[in-house]
Amino acid sequence: MNHQLSSTIGDQKDTEKTTLQFFSETIEVSSLSALAFFHAGEEEFTGQRFFWQNPDQTFTLVGLGHAHIIESGLNEGRFEEVDQQWKKLTQHVLTNEENVRPVLFGGFTFDPANTQSGEWDDVPEAFFAAATYQLIIRNGHSYISTNYIAEREDAGLFQKLCKKRDELLRASYTLEKVEYAKPIVVESTEPNKAAYLTSIEQVTNLIQKKEADKVVIARSHVLKFQEPVVSANVLAQLMNEQQNSYLFGLEYKNSFFFGASPERLVKVQDAYAYSSCIAGSIKRGRTSDEDERLGLELYNDTKNRSEHQYVVDMIGKTFKDNCSSYTIPSQPELLKIRDIQHLFTPVEGHLKNGATILQLAKTLHPTPALGGVPRMRAMEVIRQYEPMNRGLYAAPIGWLDDRNNGEFAVAIRSALLNSSKAFLYAGGGIVADSTPQSEYEETLVKFRPMVRALGGQLDDE
């Protein structure tokens, strides 16, 4: 049952081969708070944790510790590298529970060709981890898997790992009643605001000259806090305020990237794939009548419908190329979340033999909702005019198991937390009739979920 796996990962040179196996033991536990389990790893596993919850809360995933990491510094081939490394690692999984599989969690940067320096400088172009302690809560049942990678079964190591698992469980149950106070913001700034507004003018001019059809330009917003903020606190705020979104968190060294995204990039379950076309947005109304009026305004707006159709066409082509059959509704619907409403069209289909979730993620990223049209020209324009490096913002983040099941969201409505400072990100699609002020106001709406969760306030509130 042994297989060969490179002892190095990412773009490091493959200098030696080591025979390794993936050992996993799963136990079912009584009802457990995912947040409490995440928090229980604060002392020992800070920098080595992840969190995921889908919008209908039927699947929650928490990881503590790194049983194995896969990194890539490649500009080209990073999706394939992660795919190949994961397949090698899980060629032979030794487990006592066939229905709870080992999971790999992580994300890719938005654009590895972007060389701007900033808060993302030490983050690799792809970073994924298989957890030492993996909690899955699925349809009301909680399972903890203890994972390790070794040449052969190690009873002594496994005993130590199980002892720590039991300690984490006990700590989790005591942390379930913790109340989290919102952070205290002492400073709120908009870096490169002038450069952002200028970039809107410049990009609009390019589009008017027919050099592109649409380009998404983003900006950042920075909050500074009275004291360092822990990862569990911001997750608690998101779980309280944004239950109907994809909630995600990924620690890397001293930083924590987290968010509440409304947008699925791709999901695969038993060779059936799902994606979401989300583009075009407007704020929610203060009353039901105002909310309905704004929704109709969005639905009938030529600019927003055009932006949305770009996304539908692109995702539809991807499904046509990778699926034996697929369906796309002829008209969008409205997706309403707490602060904003979007045009939304679901897409689904049966995968062709050999198609993988990472292949789909690579093909779909970036959608026209996050990059532009045509894709390659839009990416060139973003590199030239956008006054920042997006890092993991607006990129694929999510999980996959060893049977090609998994789900990736688009990492929008997100922020990078580094101790007592948070970098928030938002953007919008620029077309021929865009104006700097309207695009700026759209980003304010998109910033609101993260600003509120972190205890801040925007000028328009």
Side-chain angles (χ1 to χ4, degrees), residues 158-189:
F158 180 66
Q159 186 176 18
K160 291 178 181 178
L161 292 174
C162 288
K163 181 179 179 181
K164 172 55 66 175
R165 176 200 65 198
D166 294 341
E167 292 174 1
L168 290 167
L169 265 173
R170 287 193 293 271
S172 299
Y173 289 124
T174 63
L175 289 168
E176 288 187 345
K177 295 182 180 179
V178 170
E179 294 184 3
Y180 298 89
K182 286 193 176 183
I184 299 175
V185 176
V186 296
E187 185 179 351
S188 178
T189 58

Side-chain angles (χ1 to χ4, degrees), residues 83 87 322 351-357 359 404:
D83 208 1
K87 286 176 180 176
N322 290 276
L351 286 180
K352 294 178 180 178
N353 290 337
T356 71
I357 186 170
Q359 288 172 349
N404 196 42

Side-chain angles (χ1 to χ4, degrees), residues 10 35 58 63 67 98 107-108 122 144 183 204 260 262 367 410 444 456:
L35 180 62
T58 57
E98 285 298 314
F108 300 90
D122 65 344
I144 294 181
T204 302
T367 71
V410 180
L444 291 179

Side-chain angles (χ1 to χ4, degrees), residues 90-107:
T90 57
Q91 186 175 347
H92 297 295
V93 174
L94 303 179
T95 178
N96 67 319
E97 177 54 74
E98 285 298 314
N99 294 321
V100 180
R101 308 305 303 177
V103 167
L104 189 70
F105 183 89

Side-chain angles (χ1 to χ4, degrees), residues 31-49:
S31 180
L32 181 64
S33 161
L35 180 62
F37 187 71
F38 181 92
H39 194 167
E42 182 78 32
E43 182 174 345
E44 186 164 348
F45 297 111
T46 293
Q48 299 181 34
R49 295 180 293 174

